[in-house]
Amino acid sequence: MKGITKTNGQSDLTLKQRTWLKLYLELGNATEAAMRVYDCKDRDSAKSIGWENLTKLDYSDLMEEAGITDKLLQDK
């Protein structure tokens, strides 16, 4: 998958991946975020994309920048 490598400590995400991440953080639903960002023919496809993004993308730097820490998630 393109765009998941890290260079100089920064995540190298594609525009769609960044948009998906932003929506995922707002909605809390990976499938719904994928439905809105990617050209999915159905919810099963969106579910697969959402799961793939959650498991393969390195978005820890972006989450820290947004103030979402392990402690915050644990408290929720």
Side-chain angles (χ1 to χ4, degrees):
M1 172 180 255
K2 284 184 173 180
I4 61 173
T5 59
K6 289 183 78 173
T7 56
N8 299 327
Q10 296 294 320
S11 294
D12 185 23
L13 302 176
T14 66
L15 178 59
K16 282 190 177 185
Q17 290 166 338
R18 286 182 182 275
T19 305
W20 173 86
L21 180 58
K22 182 178 181 224
L23 275 175
Y24 171 66
L25 292 173
E26 288 175 13
L27 302 171
N29 187 309
T31 302
E32 185 60 32
M35 285 293 293
R36 294 183 186 190
V37 175
Y38 296 91
D39 188 23
C40 298
K41 62 181 179 178
D42 55 40
R43 291 195 69 80
D44 286 334
S45 298
K47 181 179 175 183
S48 294
I49 291 170
W51 175 251
E52 185 175 327
N53 282 351
L54 285 172
T55 58
K56 293 187 177 181
L57 296 180
D58 182 4
Y59 47 83
S60 57
D61 292 342
L62 295 174
M63 290 183 70
E64 284 182 26
E65 287 175 20
I68 300 170
T69 62
D70 288 338
K71 174 77 172 130
L72 177 69
L73 293 174
Q74 190 176 35
D75 289 347
K76 292 265 180 185

